[in-house]
Amino acid sequence: MSEPGVPLIPLRVLYGNPERAAAAISPDGKRLGYLAPVDGVLNVWVGAREGDDFKPVTQGTDRGVRQWAWAHDNRHVVFLQDQGGDENWRLYSVDLESGDVADLTPFNHVQAQLLGLSKLRPHEVVVGLNRDNASVHDLYLVQLDTGKLDLLEKNPGFYSLLGPAWIVDDDLRVVAGMRPTPTGAFDLCLRPPGPDALEWPVFQTFDFEDALTSTPVHTTAEGNGLYLRSSKDANSIRLVLADLSTGE
């Protein structure tokens, strides 16, 4: 209850759409994109970085866009969107030259996760899909130009409460994954060295006290290290660099 004469904060202030959010500059530095409402629904807007003529490039009218990214070809943006809040996100791309919108994961009752983009492979995207098992996401490689979808890796039980369950390097190769344990901990597992190896070796375990505050971020450019947000052996989250060859 508010005090007499003191107005309540309107719900739209607390829970309404932002004026602008999630701004990002294109990889070539020429354009800027961000999320902003169109008739009350968040969409992706794009314009020249140093100009003021920004236009929406997505046409969502039901559930707004919450996650989007520039593709490294500087021609496409990709975004996730569901229908009516069912959280069965689909991955879409927008060709900024033609305006065409493509559904890259046109599957019913399947959730897509955007997991990898790289300047070394600018025409491809790594996406997680729970097509075969609703509980876990397998990894697929999507071609932006054609929509071709190829399986990269079957999921051996990886899942994460915070951040990605999979880590791919700048060549879009699978490096590691996060796997829950029966005790509430999470194992950070490295990809087996050979194609026939079945067991993913455990690189580090985060006990349940650290499960919500520890997650891999990305590999180093050389691919031999892994950046982690970690509260392991600390009372706060730290950014650490793990050497994948020595474990240091």
Side-chain angles (χ1 to χ4, degrees):
M1 296 289 293
S2 63
E3 296 182 9
V6 178
L8 293 172
I9 299 174
L11 287 178
R12 60 179 175 78
V13 174
L14 299 175
Y15 300 108
N17 288 324
E19 292 184 11
R20 293 184 180 87
I25 296 174
S26 61
D28 61 8
K30 296 180 179 179
R31 288 186 280 196
L32 174 69
Y34 54 79
L35 297 179
V38 177
D39 297 328
V41 178
L42 285 179
N43 278 275
V44 182
W45 294 61
V46 170
R49 181 174 63 86
E50 296 181 351
D52 55 8
D53 184 18
F54 288 82
K55 297 178 180 179
V57 298
T58 61
Q59 298 87 37
T61 58
D62 180 15
R63 182 76 180 268
V65 177
R66 294 297 187 274
Q67 184 179 357
W68 77 282
W70 286 98
H72 284 270
D73 63 359
N74 293 298
R75 176 170 176 165
H76 293 86
V77 297
V78 294
F79 64 97
L80 294 174
Q81 195 166 34
D82 67 351
Q83 297 294 323
D86 63 5
E87 297 192 0
N88 287 321
W89 313 102
R90 291 190 181 188
L91 180 67
Y92 297 87
S93 69
V94 181
D95 186 327
L96 297 178
E97 294 185 10
S98 68
D100 293 339
V101 178
D103 185 352
L104 300 176
T105 57
F107 311 111
N108 293 327
H109 311 298
V110 172
Q111 185 190 75
Q113 296 177 343
L114 178 60
L115 296 176
L117 294 158
S118 173
K119 64 182 179 181
L120 300 182
R121 301 179 69 169
H123 306 290
E124 297 166 306
V125 181
V126 175
V127 59
L129 294 174
N130 59 347
R131 294 175 66 185
D132 298 331
N133 183 344
S135 300
V136 294
H137 292 72
D138 301 322
L139 252 61
Y140 292 82
L141 189 68
V142 184
Q143 305 293 328
L144 287 172
D145 294 335
T146 65
K148 187 174 183 291
L149 196 70
D150 294 306
L151 180 66
L152 274 182
E153 196 82 48
K154 293 293 292 182
N155 194 321
F158 294 154
Y159 172 79
S160 177
L161 296 173
L162 178 71
W166 294 92
I167 290 295
V168 296
D169 64 14
D170 287 337
D171 287 314
L172 300 184
R173 296 175 299 193
V174 179
V175 173
M178 293 287 281
R179 182 175 60 198
T181 74
T183 64
F186 275 82
D187 289 334
L188 174 60
C189 304
L190 300 184
R191 200 193 188 296
D196 299 326
L198 298 178
E199 184 61 29
W200 291 59
V202 176
F203 178 76
Q204 193 170 58
T205 296
F206 299 104
D207 292 333
F208 71 90
E209 296 95 340
D210 300 309
L212 291 176
T213 50
S214 301
T215 183
V217 179
H218 202 275
T219 62
T220 59
E222 298 80 10
N224 57 358
L226 186 63
Y227 292 104
L228 305 166
R229 286 192 294 265
S230 174
S231 60
K232 187 178 179 70
D233 301 323
N235 62 2
S236 61
I237 302 174
R238 303 171 297 162
L239 179 66
V240 301
L241 176 60
D243 189 313
L244 296 179
S245 58
T246 67
E248 183 180 355

